[in-house]
Structures are given as C-alpha cells and as structure tokens.
C-alpha cells in the first residue's frame, strides 16, 4: 500500500514532503502547489487506518513541519504544527490537534483557554519585525508537556513572551505568560 511507500524520488525532486507521526500511525503529504512567485502554498493530505480501512483525507494546513503524539485521557492526540507562507513577508504558524476516531480523523479540543476549548491555535507572522530572518524565532513551541504560543502586539510584532499551555489530565490548560 502507499502508506508504506516512501516516494523518495518525488521528495528529492521537491514535489512532495512526506512525514510520518513518530508512532507511524499517520502519514502526511505536503505538496507545493504555489507555482513560484513570492507566495508559498501547500496542499496537504493525511493517510491513516481505522480498523482495516485505509483513509486519505485532505488536511487543511500549510507545510507540515512537526507531528507530536501526546497521551490525553488514555487517547493519542496528535499535535500537527505547520506554516503557511502568504506574500513575501507574511505568514501563519498553525497548530492543530487531531485523533483517530473509530471511522475517521477527528478534531481534538485539547487547548483550554480561559473561556473555551479549542482544537487549533494560529499565530500571524510578519517578517518586517525580524532583524535576522534566519534566526528562526519559534512562534509555536510544542513539547509533550507544554505548548508555548508567541505573544504578539496589535501590529503583529513579536513580544518575545509566550502564552503557556501546560498538559493537565484532560487538556493543555492556559497557565499564563512566560519568557
């Protein structure tokens, strides 16, 4: 099946980026469909199994660059980090939480803010505020115990402080601001 096929030649030629979750239960494909120019656009798909059925679903995101499985209430929830590049100087960092349900991939509402639970978090990016674009400021930092989200002012300028979400028994719960 295509789930175990590597597509190495297509990856080498830059047509597709293939990435598995660390537990090898999800396989993500990101196709560069931008066609050149200053914008970057990716079309992403996720492949997985429920029972004996293989699925291939569109996965709305940008370029997928990290997949982290975490255990929440005895379920594996996948944190999928991606980046969408807009014009030559703007973009969006995005984090989605999903889980494999009995028949399909499901949204997983595991980010507990002060008001509600979310299944995704996003942070705008504007390169005008970067002194060195190669510095790679992390707008979203994810680990098995924490999710840190870069705090921006109203002009989308990074404040180099993070909104911290800490893994509790049922969700990543907002804790406050950290440096």
């Amino acid at each position: 099946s295509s789930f175990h096929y590597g597509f190495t030649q297509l990856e080498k030629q830059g047509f597709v980026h293939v990435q598995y979750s660390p537990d090898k239960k999800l396989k993500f494909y990101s196709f560069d469909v931008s066609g050149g120019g200053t914008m970057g656009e990716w079309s992403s798909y996720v492949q997985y199994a429920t029972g004996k059925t293989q699925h291939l679903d569109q996965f709305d995101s940008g370029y997928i660059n990290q997949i982290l499985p975490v255990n929440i209430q005895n379920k594996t929830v996948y944190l999928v980090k991606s980046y969408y590049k807009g014009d030559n100087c703007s973009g969006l960092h995005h984090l989605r939480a999903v889980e494999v349900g009995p028949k399909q991939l499901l949204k997983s509402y595991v980010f507990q803010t002060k008001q509600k639970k979310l299944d995704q978090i996003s942070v705008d990016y504007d390169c005008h505020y970067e002194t060195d674009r190669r510095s790679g400021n992390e707008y979203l930092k994810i680990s098995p115990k924490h999710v840190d989200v870069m705090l921006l002012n109203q002009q989308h300028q990074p404040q180099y402080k993070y909104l911290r979400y800490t893994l509790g028994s049922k969700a990543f719960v907002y804790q406050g601001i950290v440096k």
Side-chain angles (χ1 to χ4, degrees), residues 61-72:
S61 71
Y63 177 83
I64 295 168
N65 52 30
Q66 187 178 359
I67 306 153
L68 179 68
V70 293
N71 186 328
I72 299 176

Side-chain angles (χ1 to χ4, degrees), residues 95-171:
L95 182 63
R96 286 182 59 189
V98 295
E99 59 188 86
V100 178
K103 295 186 180 196
Q104 65 189 17
L105 200 65
L106 303 170
K107 295 177 181 178
S108 190
Y109 290 82
V110 297
F111 305 115
Q112 179 66 57
T113 69
K114 289 182 178 180
Q115 291 88 23
K116 61 184 176 177
K117 278 191 175 180
L118 306 171
D119 68 307
Q120 57 189 307
I121 296 173
S122 58
V123 183
D124 289 318
Y125 168 77
D126 184 337
C127 75
H128 293 104
Y129 298 115
E130 294 288 326
T131 54
D132 179 6
R133 287 193 200 177
R134 295 169 299 182
S135 67
N137 286 322
E138 290 194 63
Y139 283 67
L140 292 169
K141 298 192 287 188
I142 63 174
S143 74
K145 301 287 182 200
H146 301 287
V147 171
D148 291 338
V149 181
M150 178 73 78
L151 183 61
L152 306 178
N153 68 12
Q154 290 180 338
Q155 291 76 36
H156 302 286
Q157 182 176 9
Q159 300 301 295
Y160 302 100
K161 297 176 187 173
Y162 293 88
L163 305 175
R164 161 115 347 139
Y165 292 81
T166 301
L167 182 60
S169 62
K170 297 180 181 180

Side-chain angles (χ1 to χ4, degrees), residues 7-16:
F7 298 99
T8 353
Q9 288 302 317
L10 291 173
E11 271 204 278
K12 282 181 186 175
Q13 295 173 18
F15 293 116
V16 65

